[in-house]
Amino acid sequence: MAKISLIVNGNPVTGKVEPRTLLVQFLREHLRLTGTHVGCDTSQCGACVVHLDGKAVKSCTTLAVMADGHEVKTIEGLAADGAPLHPMQEAFREHHGLQCGFCTPGMIMTAVDLVHRKGHDLSDEVIREELEGNLCRCTGYQNIVLSIAAGAKAMAKSDLA
C-alpha cells in the first residue's frame, strides 16, 4: 500500500492505496465523489476527466499515486464557494447540453480547461476539435457546442475567468 496526500476540491486528503489504483477509483470509491464517471477504462470517452493541477486529465488512466502532492478538482468542486453552479454548468443546463448526463461531468471539466487554454471567444470548429476524446452517445453534440460557447462567455464575466 502507498500513502498519498493531495488536495481534492480545496480540501486536504490522505489515503492508502495499492500502487495500481486509478485516480478515478480513488475519487469514487475512497472519497465517494461519484460525479467523475467511468465509461471506457481506455481513455477514449472522457467521462472521467478531472483537473490535475489545473489541467484536464483522464482519471481512468492516471494512477492515484501520480496525484500525490498535487491538486485535483472534480465536477463536485467546480462551483465557487456558495454558488450553486459554475458558469459552465449553468450554460449546459440553460442550453440543454445534456440528455442522459453520463458524459456531462467530463464534458464540463474539458470545457473549463479549454476556456483556460484558448480564451473566451471560441469558434464552433475549435470547440468541436477540442472535444475530441469526449464522447456523447445521446445529443449529437450541437447543444454541447452551444453550451460551451455560452459558458465561455459567462466565465469571462465571472471571477472564474
Side-chain angles (χ1 to χ4, degrees):
M1 298 292 275
K3 184 176 180 186
I4 59 172
S5 298
L6 55 154
I7 305 295
V8 178
N9 298 332
N11 301 308
V13 172
T14 59
K16 289 186 178 179
V17 297
E18 290 187 32
R20 65 181 178 208
T21 301
L22 297 172
L23 181 56
V24 70
Q25 292 170 310
F26 181 72
L27 294 170
R28 290 181 60 81
E29 297 168 15
H30 295 268
L31 302 182
R32 301 291 184 233
L33 295 172
T34 57
T36 303
H37 295 154
V38 178
C40 67
D41 281 334
T42 60
S43 194
Q44 294 180 16
C45 76
C48 68
V49 172
V50 298
H51 293 174
L52 181 62
D53 292 336
K55 295 182 182 187
V57 299
K58 293 185 177 176
S59 62
C60 76
T61 54
T62 303
L63 297 172
V65 294
M66 294 169 69
D68 184 36
H70 296 276
E71 185 171 340
V72 174
K73 185 172 284 191
T74 69
I75 193 75
E76 291 93 345
L78 196 56
D81 289 337
L85 295 174
H86 181 277
M88 189 63 71
Q89 291 171 305
E90 179 60 33
F92 266 71
R93 187 197 65 74
E94 184 177 325
H95 296 276
H96 310 287
L98 60 112
Q99 281 185 6
C100 83
F102 192 81
C103 70
T104 306
M107 290 282 188
I108 290 172
M109 298 304 285
T110 298
V112 170
D113 178 68
L114 166 61
V115 172
H116 287 153
R117 288 183 296 106
K118 301 273 184 162
H120 302 283
D121 191 24
L122 302 169
S123 69
D124 287 1
E125 293 77 23
V126 167
I127 293 170
R128 288 179 184 279
E129 181 178 308
E130 292 288 329
L131 284 180
E132 183 179 345
N134 288 78
L135 301 178
C136 176
R137 292 171 175 91
C138 299
T139 67
Y141 298 93
Q142 184 57 34
N143 286 348
I144 291 172
V145 173
L146 292 172
S147 297
I148 293 171
K153 287 181 180 17
M155 285 174 65
K157 296 176 184 174
S158 75
D159 292 335
L160 300 170

